Amino acid sequence: MNKLVDMQEALASARSLEELQTFVEGLRDVYSIDNLVYHSVNASGGQYAALTYSNEWVERYIDKGYERIDPVVQGCYKRFTPIDWKALDWSAKPSRDFLGESASAGLGNQGFSIPIRGPSGQFALFSVNQKDNDDRWAKFTEERVSDLILIAHYMNEKALEIEGGPNQGPVRALSPREKDALTLLALGNNRAGVAEALNISENTLRVYIESARFKMGASNTVHAVATALTHGLIVV
Amino acid sequence: MNKLVDMQEALASARSLEELQTFVEGLRDVYSIDNLVYHSVNASGGQYAALTYSNEWVERYIDKGYERIDPVVQGCYKRFTPIDWKALDWSAKPSRDFLGESASAGLGNQGFSIPIRGPSGQFALFSVNQKDNDDRWAKFTEERVSDLILIAHYMNEKALEIEGGPNQGPVRALSPREKDALTLLALGNNRAGVAEALNISENTLRVYIESARFKMGASNTVHAVATALTHGLIVV
DNA sequence: TTCCCCTTCACCAGAAATGGTGAGGTACGG
DNA sequence: CCGTACCTCACCATTTCTGGTGAAGGGGAA
């Protein structure tokens, strides 16, 4: 009778990404939700999603790069608390256009999203989408949001555990000196300053930057620092 | 009768860090827990804690820099899921010494911690500490862990909302073009490439980079991109 | 021992980034 | 209507970074 416990048990046995997809579909049915989305982006840019939207919409979304204008994605990345879609900023024209498109793709008018963060900059969104009026939606939210927050976090943990899931994408570790160099660069020092701080010649410093760049496949210093940062290889 | 709901309501009204401290004490009493700790560290190194340990222990902990050897802190930073302290690695000598000291300071033998992550690299630990035998502790954990996970996340959200809390350090928002520019730079493009991608002259591009730098107080492009990244102003 | 990685240093020419200043236009809120 | 913020472009001297190559000693793993 306890949906939450049932769902947790269903999740506990999941061992593959396919099972997560099945889980999401089951969750949708058990809670009588129109659509559910779990979407994770790890620091390396690797993505994984388990969702109940139509393939057409998903393809269109990816194809058009809608994640760059979707107020849900943009709004949640800076947030830490679950948020109702109504509270987001839909005033910009691209946002309104996107809203119209999503509606024609069959998405409901109501929704909320739970931002979730993991180690090394992993970020995931767990979203609920529903076609409903404001009153019923408010009631639904009040009743279900606690359960869904818990499930969202459990699901994220599961997704991170699973081989090949959003948690993969190992980047070769940086040597201590390489970390020092990139960290000081990220802090705003130029090469001369970093070399001085590290008490090495600028030539030596360059070797570190370049070997770090090489390891991460970065095309220049800015890229290397950005990559190290998003991969959690350095902390500023 | 529903403790979880009561606690959520108690949290909802909190407006200051002092109230969080009071909340933690109330939570301890309501759930009959020996000790509770909420401890947050933001990306800038700013710290905040609300806890029920004795002042002596807290001072000693800070003074001796125990966060560097405490297996709870060290173990949780790499994790994303709640963990029982028994499952941590206590084999190193400093860890065992630390354990002995904590026991003489009145801490219980059982505990678990919930790692929580927020935007911009914020990291918090919500820990429960109890003096109990294994059986009763297992039962307690099973019954309460769900509630406490939720409360931990609510509490972190609250702490981040509160003025002067772990979330301080607002940075002026970037304009869309500034974000585009920094994002493309973070992705490894050089200025020529970014200008081309954005369909603007390199001169114009420079204005964006410089105004972004100015807004964030960054001393060069690398610094600007790193700052934007760590503050969640751009997403790569 | 051999091999690989880390740390350290040097030289150099050419490519790229920087800093500062000036100036046109649009858009929005007070 | 005015101020402020945003978007766009230009010029130029100077500093800084990049790419490529070569080399030596230390440490750990196979």
Side-chain angles (χ1 to χ4, degrees), chain B residues 51-94:
Chain B
L51 39 65
T52 65
Y53 290 151
S54 70
N55 284 339
E56 291 75 37
W57 174 240
V58 173
E59 274 168 33
R60 184 174 189 80
Y61 193 100
I62 295 169
D63 197 44
K64 300 267 187 180
Y66 279 160
E67 73 279 1
R68 301 197 177 275
I69 51 170
D70 185 346
V72 173
V73 173
Q74 295 299 317
C76 286
Y77 194 74
K78 298 194 214 71
R79 296 182 54 87
F80 39 86
T81 149
I83 186 167
D84 194 286
W85 292 359
K86 279 198 288 290
L88 295 165
D89 177 17
W90 295 89
S91 62
K93 179 145 195 322

Tab-separated table of all heavy atoms in Angstrom, chain B residues 51-94:
chain	number	residue	atom	x	y	z
B	51	LEU	N	24.686	22.493	15.140
B	51	LEU	CA	24.919	21.172	15.708
B	51	LEU	C	24.642	21.134	17.198
B	51	LEU	O	24.432	22.159	17.839
B	51	LEU	CB	26.350	20.720	15.406
B	51	LEU	CG	27.472	21.762	15.484
B	51	LEU	CD1	27.644	22.265	16.896
B	51	LEU	CD2	28.765	21.182	14.978
B	52	THR	N	24.638	19.913	17.699
B	52	THR	CA	24.288	19.737	19.112
B	52	THR	C	25.448	19.170	19.922
B	52	THR	O	25.247	18.722	21.044
B	52	THR	CB	23.082	18.781	19.250
B	52	THR	OG1	23.481	17.492	18.792
B	52	THR	CG2	21.898	19.258	18.434
B	53	TYR	N	26.629	19.175	19.334
B	53	TYR	CA	27.785	18.705	20.107
B	53	TYR	C	28.155	19.761	21.152
B	53	TYR	O	27.758	20.924	21.041
B	53	TYR	CB	28.991	18.462	19.187
B	53	TYR	CG	28.857	17.275	18.267
B	53	TYR	CD1	29.514	17.258	17.035
B	53	TYR	CD2	28.105	16.154	18.619
B	53	TYR	CE1	29.412	16.174	16.175
B	53	TYR	CE2	27.997	15.066	17.762
B	53	TYR	CZ	28.647	15.080	16.549
B	53	TYR	OH	28.544	14.023	15.705
B	54	SER	N	28.962	19.366	22.085
B	54	SER	CA	29.392	20.320	23.103
B	54	SER	C	30.360	21.326	22.495
B	54	SER	O	31.080	21.021	21.535
B	54	SER	CB	30.102	19.574	24.236
B	54	SER	OG	31.344	19.088	23.774
B	55	ASN	N	30.367	22.512	23.037
B	55	ASN	CA	31.273	23.533	22.540
B	55	ASN	C	32.729	23.093	22.620
B	55	ASN	O	33.529	23.415	21.743
B	55	ASN	CB	31.101	24.830	23.341
B	55	ASN	CG	29.844	25.558	22.918
B	55	ASN	OD1	29.334	25.317	21.819
B	55	ASN	ND2	29.348	26.440	23.773
B	56	GLU	N	33.052	22.349	23.674
B	56	GLU	CA	34.435	21.892	23.845
B	56	GLU	C	34.861	21.042	22.642
B	56	GLU	O	35.932	21.217	22.087
B	56	GLU	CB	34.608	21.061	25.124
B	56	GLU	CG	34.466	21.841	26.408
B	56	GLU	CD	33.004	22.169	26.718
B	56	GLU	OE1	32.138	21.315	26.446
B	56	GLU	OE2	32.732	23.291	27.202
B	57	TRP	N	33.984	20.131	22.285
B	57	TRP	CA	34.325	19.228	21.177
B	57	TRP	C	34.444	19.994	19.856
B	57	TRP	O	35.367	19.788	19.084
B	57	TRP	CB	33.277	18.104	21.081
B	57	TRP	CG	33.464	17.210	19.886
B	57	TRP	CD1	32.585	16.990	18.883
B	57	TRP	CD2	34.621	16.407	19.572
B	57	TRP	NE1	33.101	16.120	17.960
B	57	TRP	CE2	34.356	15.748	18.355
B	57	TRP	CE3	35.858	16.203	20.204
B	57	TRP	CZ2	35.260	14.887	17.753
B	57	TRP	CZ3	36.778	15.341	19.590
B	57	TRP	CH2	36.462	14.693	18.393
B	58	VAL	N	33.522	20.917	19.640
B	58	VAL	CA	33.549	21.698	18.408
B	58	VAL	C	34.847	22.494	18.323
B	58	VAL	O	35.536	22.499	17.298
B	58	VAL	CB	32.331	22.638	18.328
B	58	VAL	CG1	32.455	23.575	17.133
B	58	VAL	CG2	31.043	21.834	18.240
B	59	GLU	N	35.202	23.139	19.423
B	59	GLU	CA	36.427	23.939	19.427
B	59	GLU	C	37.659	23.073	19.178
B	59	GLU	O	38.545	23.428	18.419
B	59	GLU	CB	36.574	24.672	20.769
B	59	GLU	CG	35.826	25.998	20.777
B	59	GLU	CD	35.732	26.552	22.188
B	59	GLU	OE1	36.666	26.331	22.982
B	59	GLU	OE2	34.711	27.192	22.493
B	60	ARG	N	37.657	21.941	19.857
B	60	ARG	CA	38.783	21.028	19.701
B	60	ARG	C	38.893	20.556	18.253
B	60	ARG	O	39.980	20.510	17.673
B	60	ARG	CB	38.568	19.818	20.623
B	60	ARG	CG	39.726	18.854	20.599
B	60	ARG	CD	39.553	17.740	21.619
B	60	ARG	NE	40.775	16.980	21.707
B	60	ARG	CZ	41.839	17.362	22.397
B	60	ARG	NH1	41.774	18.480	23.097
B	60	ARG	NH2	42.943	16.634	22.401
B	61	TYR	N	37.753	20.229	17.697
B	61	TYR	CA	37.682	19.727	16.311
B	61	TYR	C	38.263	20.750	15.344
B	61	TYR	O	39.102	20.445	14.501
B	61	TYR	CB	36.214	19.443	15.969
B	61	TYR	CG	35.983	18.650	14.707
B	61	TYR	CD1	35.708	17.287	14.762
B	61	TYR	CD2	36.010	19.264	13.454
B	61	TYR	CE1	35.471	16.549	13.611
B	61	TYR	CE2	35.778	18.534	12.299
B	61	TYR	CZ	35.506	17.185	12.390
B	61	TYR	OH	35.276	16.459	11.240
B	62	ILE	N	37.795	21.994	15.498
B	62	ILE	CA	38.260	23.059	14.608
B	62	ILE	C	39.735	23.327	14.843
B	62	ILE	O	40.541	23.431	13.913
B	62	ILE	CB	37.445	24.345	14.845
B	62	ILE	CG1	35.985	24.104	14.442
B	62	ILE	CG2	38.032	25.518	14.086
B	62	ILE	CD1	35.040	25.204	14.866
B	63	ASP	N	40.076	23.407	16.126
B	63	ASP	CA	41.426	23.755	16.517
B	63	ASP	C	42.446	22.764	15.954
B	63	ASP	O	43.489	23.144	15.418
B	63	ASP	CB	41.485	23.776	18.046
B	63	ASP	CG	42.704	24.501	18.534
B	63	ASP	OD1	42.997	25.586	17.980
B	63	ASP	OD2	43.377	23.991	19.456
B	64	LYS	N	42.121	21.496	16.081
B	64	LYS	CA	43.049	20.445	15.644
B	64	LYS	C	42.922	20.147	14.150
B	64	LYS	O	43.655	19.298	13.632
B	64	LYS	CB	42.762	19.151	16.428
B	64	LYS	CG	42.908	19.289	17.939
B	64	LYS	CD	44.308	18.902	18.375
B	64	LYS	CE	44.396	18.886	19.900
B	64	LYS	NZ	45.741	18.506	20.363
B	65	GLY	N	41.981	20.786	13.499
B	65	GLY	CA	41.803	20.513	12.073
B	65	GLY	C	41.367	19.080	11.816
B	65	GLY	O	41.799	18.441	10.849
B	66	TYR	N	40.506	18.566	12.687
B	66	TYR	CA	40.098	17.162	12.566
B	66	TYR	C	39.351	16.855	11.271
B	66	TYR	O	39.238	15.695	10.899
B	66	TYR	CB	39.231	16.769	13.769
B	66	TYR	CG	40.031	16.423	14.996
B	66	TYR	CD1	39.439	16.459	16.262
B	66	TYR	CD2	41.357	16.040	14.899
B	66	TYR	CE1	40.168	16.141	17.397
B	66	TYR	CE2	42.094	15.724	16.021
B	66	TYR	CZ	41.498	15.769	17.279
B	66	TYR	OH	42.216	15.448	18.391
B	67	GLU	N	38.824	17.917	10.600
B	67	GLU	CA	38.112	17.624	9.352
B	67	GLU	C	39.044	16.949	8.341
B	67	GLU	O	38.591	16.276	7.425
B	67	GLU	CB	37.502	18.903	8.762
B	67	GLU	CG	38.501	19.877	8.139
B	67	GLU	CD	39.189	20.743	9.186
B	67	GLU	OE1	38.889	20.563	10.386
B	67	GLU	OE2	40.005	21.595	8.808
B	68	ARG	N	40.342	17.114	8.560
B	68	ARG	CA	41.295	16.510	7.627
B	68	ARG	C	41.502	15.022	7.872
B	68	ARG	O	42.027	14.320	7.013
B	68	ARG	CB	42.662	17.204	7.711
B	68	ARG	CG	42.587	18.667	7.411
B	68	ARG	CD	43.939	19.253	7.083
B	68	ARG	NE	43.773	20.658	6.728
B	68	ARG	CZ	43.458	21.087	5.507
B	68	ARG	NH1	43.321	20.227	4.521
B	68	ARG	NH2	43.304	22.375	5.274
B	69	ILE	N	41.161	14.558	9.059
B	69	ILE	CA	41.346	13.133	9.304
B	69	ILE	C	40.028	12.415	9.606
B	69	ILE	O	39.955	11.202	9.500
B	69	ILE	CB	42.347	12.859	10.455
B	69	ILE	CG1	41.964	13.672	11.694
B	69	ILE	CG2	43.762	13.184	10.053
B	69	ILE	CD1	42.771	13.268	12.919
B	70	ASP	N	39.001	13.176	9.946
B	70	ASP	CA	37.698	12.578	10.236
B	70	ASP	C	37.213	11.736	9.045
B	70	ASP	O	36.930	12.268	7.978
B	70	ASP	CB	36.701	13.713	10.522
B	70	ASP	CG	35.343	13.195	10.956
B	70	ASP	OD1	35.097	11.993	10.787
B	70	ASP	OD2	34.542	14.000	11.455
B	71	PRO	N	37.124	10.411	9.221
B	71	PRO	CA	36.711	9.553	8.105
B	71	PRO	C	35.297	9.878	7.606
B	71	PRO	O	34.974	9.596	6.461
B	71	PRO	CB	36.762	8.147	8.705
B	71	PRO	CG	37.701	8.242	9.847
B	71	PRO	CD	37.501	9.615	10.396
B	72	VAL	N	34.488	10.468	8.476
B	72	VAL	CA	33.139	10.829	8.039
B	72	VAL	C	33.223	11.908	6.959
B	72	VAL	O	32.640	11.779	5.884
B	72	VAL	CB	32.286	11.321	9.231
B	72	VAL	CG1	30.959	11.861	8.734
B	72	VAL	CG2	32.057	10.200	10.234
B	73	VAL	N	33.972	12.943	7.244
B	73	VAL	CA	34.113	14.027	6.275
B	73	VAL	C	34.823	13.525	5.019
B	73	VAL	O	34.359	13.699	3.899
B	73	VAL	CB	34.901	15.204	6.892
B	73	VAL	CG1	35.201	16.251	5.838
B	73	VAL	CG2	34.131	15.805	8.050
B	74	GLN	N	35.960	12.874	5.233
B	74	GLN	CA	36.757	12.408	4.102
B	74	GLN	C	35.987	11.406	3.243
B	74	GLN	O	36.057	11.431	2.019
B	74	GLN	CB	38.071	11.789	4.589
B	74	GLN	CG	38.994	12.783	5.272
B	74	GLN	CD	39.415	13.911	4.343
B	74	GLN	OE1	39.737	13.676	3.182
B	74	GLN	NE2	39.376	15.141	4.833
B	75	GLY	N	35.277	10.507	3.924
B	75	GLY	CA	34.553	9.464	3.189
B	75	GLY	C	33.350	10.007	2.446
B	75	GLY	O	33.054	9.574	1.338
B	76	CYS	N	32.662	10.976	3.048
B	76	CYS	CA	31.429	11.455	2.441
B	76	CYS	C	31.675	12.388	1.273
B	76	CYS	O	30.840	12.522	0.397
B	76	CYS	CB	30.559	12.149	3.482
B	76	CYS	SG	29.776	10.983	4.599
B	77	TYR	N	32.814	13.051	1.276
B	77	TYR	CA	33.042	14.020	0.222
B	77	TYR	C	33.053	13.344	-1.139
B	77	TYR	O	32.664	13.922	-2.138
B	77	TYR	CB	34.354	14.773	0.462
B	77	TYR	CG	34.445	15.986	-0.417
B	77	TYR	CD1	33.678	17.109	-0.140
B	77	TYR	CD2	35.233	15.979	-1.562
B	77	TYR	CE1	33.712	18.222	-0.971
B	77	TYR	CE2	35.271	17.088	-2.391
B	77	TYR	CZ	34.519	18.198	-2.085
B	77	TYR	OH	34.541	19.289	-2.921
B	78	LYS	N	33.505	12.115	-1.153
B	78	LYS	CA	33.565	11.400	-2.433
B	78	LYS	C	32.273	10.657	-2.735
B	78	LYS	O	32.104	10.094	-3.799
B	78	LYS	CB	34.720	10.400	-2.408
B	78	LYS	CG	36.087	11.039	-2.231
B	78	LYS	CD	37.184	10.033	-2.560
B	78	LYS	CE	38.412	10.241	-1.693
B	78	LYS	NZ	38.243	9.872	-0.277
B	79	ARG	N	31.386	10.578	-1.754
B	79	ARG	CA	30.173	9.796	-1.920
B	79	ARG	C	28.978	10.664	-2.286
B	79	ARG	O	29.042	11.874	-2.224
B	79	ARG	CB	29.863	9.057	-0.623
B	79	ARG	CG	30.910	8.024	-0.240
B	79	ARG	CD	30.452	7.344	1.018
B	79	ARG	NE	29.115	6.814	0.843
B	79	ARG	CZ	28.855	5.616	0.335
B	79	ARG	NH1	29.835	4.845	-0.019
B	79	ARG	NH2	27.620	5.211	0.203
B	80	PHE	N	27.891	9.968	-2.601
B	80	PHE	CA	26.693	10.729	-2.928
B	80	PHE	C	25.498	10.159	-2.204
B	80	PHE	O	24.427	10.707	-2.209
B	80	PHE	CB	26.450	10.716	-4.435
B	80	PHE	CG	26.746	9.406	-5.074
B	80	PHE	CD1	25.768	8.436	-5.111
B	80	PHE	CD2	27.998	9.139	-5.609
B	80	PHE	CE1	26.037	7.214	-5.678
B	80	PHE	CE2	28.270	7.915	-6.180
B	80	PHE	CZ	27.288	6.949	-6.217
B	81	THR	N	25.719	9.026	-1.527
B	81	THR	CA	24.604	8.381	-0.877
B	81	THR	C	24.825	8.343	0.637
B	81	THR	O	25.972	8.321	1.091
B	81	THR	CB	24.413	6.965	-1.479
B	81	THR	OG1	23.895	6.101	-0.478
B	81	THR	CG2	25.728	6.397	-1.962
B	82	PRO	N	23.749	8.382	1.405
B	82	PRO	CA	23.882	8.336	2.857
B	82	PRO	C	24.674	7.107	3.273
B	82	PRO	O	24.556	6.054	2.646
B	82	PRO	CB	22.433	8.214	3.340
B	82	PRO	CG	21.612	8.815	2.257
B	82	PRO	CD	22.340	8.500	0.989
B	83	ILE	N	25.463	7.243	4.294
B	83	ILE	CA	26.294	6.104	4.683
B	83	ILE	C	26.370	5.969	6.203
B	83	ILE	O	26.428	6.962	6.926
B	83	ILE	CB	27.721	6.238	4.091
B	83	ILE	CG1	28.505	4.970	4.398
B	83	ILE	CG2	28.401	7.488	4.608
B	83	ILE	CD1	29.778	4.861	3.626
B	84	ASP	N	26.361	4.715	6.627
B	84	ASP	CA	26.532	4.425	8.044
B	84	ASP	C	28.013	4.527	8.369
B	84	ASP	O	28.860	4.075	7.596
B	84	ASP	CB	26.024	3.015	8.347
B	84	ASP	CG	25.864	2.795	9.843
B	84	ASP	OD1	26.902	2.643	10.533
B	84	ASP	OD2	24.721	2.793	10.317
B	85	TRP	N	28.294	5.109	9.524
B	85	TRP	CA	29.712	5.324	9.872
B	85	TRP	C	30.486	4.020	9.960
B	85	TRP	O	31.694	3.994	9.754
B	85	TRP	CB	29.813	6.109	11.194
B	85	TRP	CG	29.330	7.521	11.062
B	85	TRP	CD1	28.857	8.114	9.927
B	85	TRP	CD2	29.272	8.511	12.089
B	85	TRP	NE1	28.498	9.419	10.192
B	85	TRP	CE2	28.740	9.688	11.507
B	85	TRP	CE3	29.623	8.525	13.440
B	85	TRP	CZ2	28.551	10.865	12.231
B	85	TRP	CZ3	29.428	9.701	14.167
B	85	TRP	CH2	28.903	10.856	13.564
B	86	LYS	N	29.786	2.935	10.287
B	86	LYS	CA	30.472	1.629	10.374
B	86	LYS	C	31.083	1.225	9.040
B	86	LYS	O	32.064	0.502	8.980
B	86	LYS	CB	29.470	0.537	10.802
B	86	LYS	CG	29.203	0.496	12.283
B	86	LYS	CD	28.581	-0.829	12.704
B	86	LYS	CE	27.140	-0.962	12.241
B	86	LYS	NZ	26.203	-0.058	12.941
B	87	ALA	N	30.472	1.712	7.953
B	87	ALA	CA	30.933	1.312	6.624
B	87	ALA	C	32.148	2.116	6.158
B	87	ALA	O	32.707	1.839	5.107
B	87	ALA	CB	29.790	1.460	5.615
B	88	LEU	N	32.548	3.078	6.968
B	88	LEU	CA	33.701	3.888	6.571
B	88	LEU	C	35.003	3.202	6.966
B	88	LEU	O	35.013	2.247	7.741
B	88	LEU	CB	33.611	5.272	7.239
B	88	LEU	CG	32.419	6.122	6.795
B	88	LEU	CD1	32.200	7.285	7.754
B	88	LEU	CD2	32.648	6.642	5.383
B	89	ASP	N	36.070	3.732	6.440
B	89	ASP	CA	37.381	3.140	6.717
B	89	ASP	C	38.015	3.794	7.946
B	89	ASP	O	38.462	4.927	7.898
B	89	ASP	CB	38.281	3.342	5.488
B	89	ASP	CG	39.683	2.805	5.746
B	89	ASP	OD1	39.849	2.021	6.705
B	89	ASP	OD2	40.602	3.178	4.991
B	90	TRP	N	38.038	3.041	9.062
B	90	TRP	CA	38.598	3.552	10.306
B	90	TRP	C	39.951	2.909	10.608
B	90	TRP	O	40.433	2.972	11.741
B	90	TRP	CB	37.644	3.252	11.476
B	90	TRP	CG	36.342	3.963	11.367
B	90	TRP	CD1	35.221	3.509	10.732
B	90	TRP	CD2	36.017	5.266	11.875
B	90	TRP	NE1	34.214	4.449	10.826
B	90	TRP	CE2	34.676	5.540	11.528
B	90	TRP	CE3	36.738	6.228	12.602
B	90	TRP	CZ2	34.039	6.729	11.863
B	90	TRP	CZ3	36.096	7.407	12.940
B	90	TRP	CH2	34.759	7.652	12.575
B	91	SER	N	40.550	2.323	9.603
B	91	SER	CA	41.740	1.522	9.880
B	91	SER	C	43.004	2.346	10.136
B	91	SER	O	43.880	1.927	10.884
B	91	SER	CB	41.980	0.560	8.715
B	91	SER	OG	42.207	1.299	7.534
B	92	ALA	N	43.084	3.522	9.523
B	92	ALA	CA	44.302	4.317	9.718
B	92	ALA	C	44.434	4.751	11.188
B	92	ALA	O	43.437	4.995	11.853
B	92	ALA	CB	44.275	5.538	8.799
B	93	LYS	N	45.681	4.864	11.623
B	93	LYS	CA	45.901	5.208	13.024
B	93	LYS	C	45.281	6.557	13.426
B	93	LYS	O	44.607	6.646	14.452
B	93	LYS	CB	47.404	5.196	13.325
B	93	LYS	CG	47.743	5.579	14.761
B	93	LYS	CD	48.923	4.833	15.300
B	93	LYS	CE	49.017	4.962	16.822
B	93	LYS	NZ	48.640	6.283	17.326
B	94	PRO	N	45.481	7.610	12.623
B	94	PRO	CA	44.867	8.887	13.004
B	94	PRO	C	43.350	8.764	13.149
B	94	PRO	O	42.756	9.396	14.026
B	94	PRO	CB	45.221	9.810	11.834
B	94	PRO	CG	46.388	9.175	11.163
B	94	PRO	CD	46.253	7.711	11.382
